[in-house]
Amino acid sequence: MFALVLVGYHPINIQFQVIHHFIFYQSTHHHMKQLSLFIGVMLFSCLASAQNYDESKVGSYTLPKILESNNGSKINTVKDWESERRGEIISLFEEHVYGQMPKKFEQIDFKLKNENKRAMGGKAHLKEIEIKVTNNGESVLINLLLFIPLNLKKPAPAFVLINNRPHSNTSPTRETVSGFWPAEDVIAAGYAIAAFHVSDAAPDDKNTYQNGVLRLYPEQLKADNGMKAIGAWAWAASRVMDYFETDKDIDAKKVGIVGHSRGGKASLWAAAQDQRFAMCFTNNSGSTGAALSKRWFGETVAIINKSFPHWFNNNYKKFNDNEKELPVDQHMLIASIAPRPVYATNASEDLWADPTGTFLAMKEAEPVYALYQLKSRLPDNPPPLDTPFLKPPLGYHNRTGKHDLTPYDWKQFVSFANYYYQNPTKK
Ligand code: GTR
């Protein structure tokens, strides 16, 4: 046991050597060997996955230059940005983080499975649509739930949630009403609200994530830069957009994509890839979402890849405990959505998702909005709790409380969208 006590005082490589030495040379009895192997592995994995919650330990880091192309030339204009740098950034994220985004498929069909023209006590029109996409002899079904406000000028602007929580959060009958998707509030504000569940696109499981969109694109599974679950969820969001373009009740030019946590990573990637999304809302999205990875605060690349190997491509694993080599950081993903507005959130009890790193990533995206003459209204430093910044192009708040998506968060999303579209209830 002496060797194990020592472990806590040594740098990680030495720790491993000490554990290894202890396990294989010091313990002679068979059971003792097994026990010490167990303890050693547990200890090693805890140490290897250590996260930092101390701002003073963040240290210095260098972010890749957002306004400089891969060949070193300066990006000074919208034209340079759009013709050169934006595409480079999307390719870097495809190659090293989220994987390729297949754009082609053979067929897409929309079937209205159920509707209620007087849902929510006569306040909304409910539509349940099955989106069937076929490619390569395989099909995937994405079930879309949609409420459209009645008694308002059509077409309606809309919010779509990438739902990564139980289906009961998005009840079509409204027998259960959840703060995660407060559809009544959003309808009352004059917006349509929609949701689809991530499991239709890619089950959120390392053994079965292939059983969805990836059946249509089997080649992706063989490529180190191939799409995985987060990519599949973002791909499905784009198919929802394909549907909206056919529904005369929806203003397809005013669709905001919303996601919480892992869903918020996907909402950013969806909006970056698909410029038809008018706005992006990324709630508590943290590591590989809206937070800077190179700060090494809260959840790290190594931790997320270890816990969720099915979210990001194989190449991303090369950056485990090696964030400094990443040719991108998450401010570039936010910036790739410009000039369209992005709203990011955090929660005070969710240091895992690095509130400060999220705020800083938003700030680091500002120069790209400035190319479009869009002045960010974010303050210079992380704002106090419960103080939303609601004027586009970049919005932010850090809510008191836990890691969650709540009616408070949605209320700010609606206000931010109102600024952008001018309040639809007032039209
Ligand atoms: C956590 C994960 C986060 C976030 C979260 C969630 O376990 O570490 O990156 O995605 O799950 O989706 O709620």
Side-chain angles (χ1 to χ4, degrees):
M1 283 297 144
F2 176 68
L4 284 173
V5 173
L6 268 183
V7 154
Y9 298 93
H10 287 75
I12 214 149
N13 55 343
I14 303 179
Q15 285 159 2
F16 184 70
Q17 284 168 25
V18 172
I19 293 168
H20 187 264
H21 181 76
F22 179 75
I23 294 166
F24 294 100
Y25 305 105
Q26 298 296 313
S27 53
T28 45
H29 189 274
H30 178 68
H31 289 110
M32 189 57 196
K33 263 189 183 169
Q34 279 190 337
L35 179 68
S36 58
L37 180 66
F38 176 75
I39 294 170
V41 167
M42 291 295 289
L43 203 62
F44 181 66
S45 65
C46 288
L47 291 163
S49 306
Q51 76 275 345
N52 170 35
Y53 284 143
D54 181 350
E55 199 58 46
S56 71
K57 295 211 179 101
V58 166
S60 65
Y61 54 92
T62 310
L63 295 177
K65 292 208 175 76
I66 207 160
L67 291 180
E68 194 175 299
S69 71
N70 291 348
N71 69 18
S73 63
K74 293 270 178 285
I75 303 297
N76 295 316
T77 64
V78 167
K79 190 168 170 290
D80 295 345
W81 170 258
E82 289 186 354
S83 64
E84 202 176 341
R85 186 60 174 152
R86 185 179 179 280
E88 280 182 359
I89 289 176
I90 298 287
S91 301
L92 288 168
F93 277 106
E94 282 190 334
E95 185 61 25
H96 301 289
V97 186
Y98 303 101
Q100 300 171 55
M101 180 62 78
K103 294 270 169 19
K104 293 198 181 128
F105 45 83
E106 282 148 22
Q107 200 173 326
I108 186 162
D109 300 292
F110 310 113
K111 194 195 277 175
L112 183 63
K113 301 276 279 188
N114 181 37
E115 89 179 309
N116 176 359
K117 292 189 174 161
R118 301 205 59 76
M120 287 184 182
K123 297 214 171 76
H125 181 171
L126 163 70
K127 297 185 187 180
E128 290 181 77
I129 300 111
E130 182 186 87
I131 303 173
K132 180 177 178 189
V133 193
T134 306
N135 197 44
N136 211 33
E138 295 275 355
S139 294
V140 67
L141 301 178
I142 295 149
N143 294 290
L144 180 69
L145 174 62
L146 168 64
F147 286 102
I148 304 154
L150 293 172
N151 311 322
L152 274 181
K153 223 173 95 183
K154 300 271 170 48
F159 290 94
V160 191
L161 174 71
I162 301 172
N163 183 19
N164 54 285
R165 287 285 180 88
H167 283 89
S168 56
N169 283 299
T170 58
S171 156
T173 61
R174 312 309 292 152
E175 268 160 28
T176 51
V177 172
S178 155
F180 195 77
W181 194 67
E184 282 74 6
D185 297 356
V186 175
I187 289 291
Y191 289 83
I193 180 160
F196 69 92
H197 200 270
V198 293
S199 59
D200 287 353
D204 193 1
D205 181 298
K206 67 177 187 315
N207 299 313
T208 58
Y209 73 95
Q210 309 88 336
N211 190 19
V213 174
L214 281 156
R215 283 193 283 107
L216 277 55
Y217 304 105
E219 71 286 356
Q220 294 291 321
L221 294 170
K222 298 191 201 104
D224 284 338
N225 67 355
M227 165 202 259
K228 293 205 185 200
I230 301 258
W233 303 341
W235 182 95
S238 286
R239 305 295 72 81
V240 170
M241 189 49 115
D242 295 343
Y243 167 75
F244 282 153
E245 289 186 324
T246 70
D247 187 331
K248 295 199 168 46
D249 291 339
I250 299 294
D251 185 345
K253 298 230 165 355
K254 294 185 178 170
V255 176
I257 184 77
V258 184
H260 166 63
S261 204
R262 63 198 74 186
K265 307 179 207 295
S267 71
L268 283 169
W269 185 228
Q273 277 285 342
D274 190 337
Q275 299 190 58
R276 294 174 299 172
F277 288 110
M279 308 181 92
C280 179
F281 299 86
T282 183
N283 194 73
N284 301 190
S285 60
S287 172
T288 328
L292 293 174
S293 302
K294 293 178 196 277
R295 266 169 55 82
W296 224 72
F297 187 101
E299 187 174 28
T300 65
V301 171
I303 297 174
I304 205 166
N305 278 332
K306 200 157 104 191
S307 320
F308 307 102
H310 60 292
W311 284 358
F312 310 107
N313 70 20
N314 296 344
N315 286 339
Y316 197 43
K317 279 75 180 174
K318 291 183 200 153
F319 303 99
N320 289 353
D321 295 317
N322 192 22
E323 282 85 351
K324 69 175 185 326
E325 292 301 326
L326 258 173
V328 287
D329 209 328
Q330 300 304 115
H331 63 307
M332 295 159 83
L333 185 62
I334 296 165
S336 73
I337 299 171
R340 295 162 296 146
V342 177
Y343 195 96
T345 74
N346 289 107
S348 62
E349 292 167 30
D350 186 18
L351 293 185
W352 186 242
D354 190 10
T356 301
T358 303
F359 179 80
L360 293 176
M362 296 287 277
K363 292 294 288 178
E364 292 285 348
E366 287 176 341
V368 177
Y369 286 86
L371 288 180
Y372 288 91
Q373 312 298 323
L374 293 170
K375 191 174 159 26
S376 164
R377 326 284 185 111
L378 294 177
D380 292 341
N381 296 304
L385 293 177
D386 308 314
T387 311
F389 282 77
L390 297 173
K391 291 195 180 161
L394 293 164
Y396 178 81
H397 70 249
N398 190 6
R399 164 179 58 72
T400 300
K402 288 205 273 288
H403 179 71
D404 200 0
L405 174 58
T406 71
Y408 175 91
D409 301 311
W410 281 97
K411 186 165 180 265
Q412 318 315 324
F413 299 169
V414 166
S415 300
F416 186 69
N418 282 346
Y419 273 113
Y420 190 55
Y421 305 136
Q422 281 91 48
N423 190 342
T425 57
K426 288 191 186 138
K427 273 189 190 159

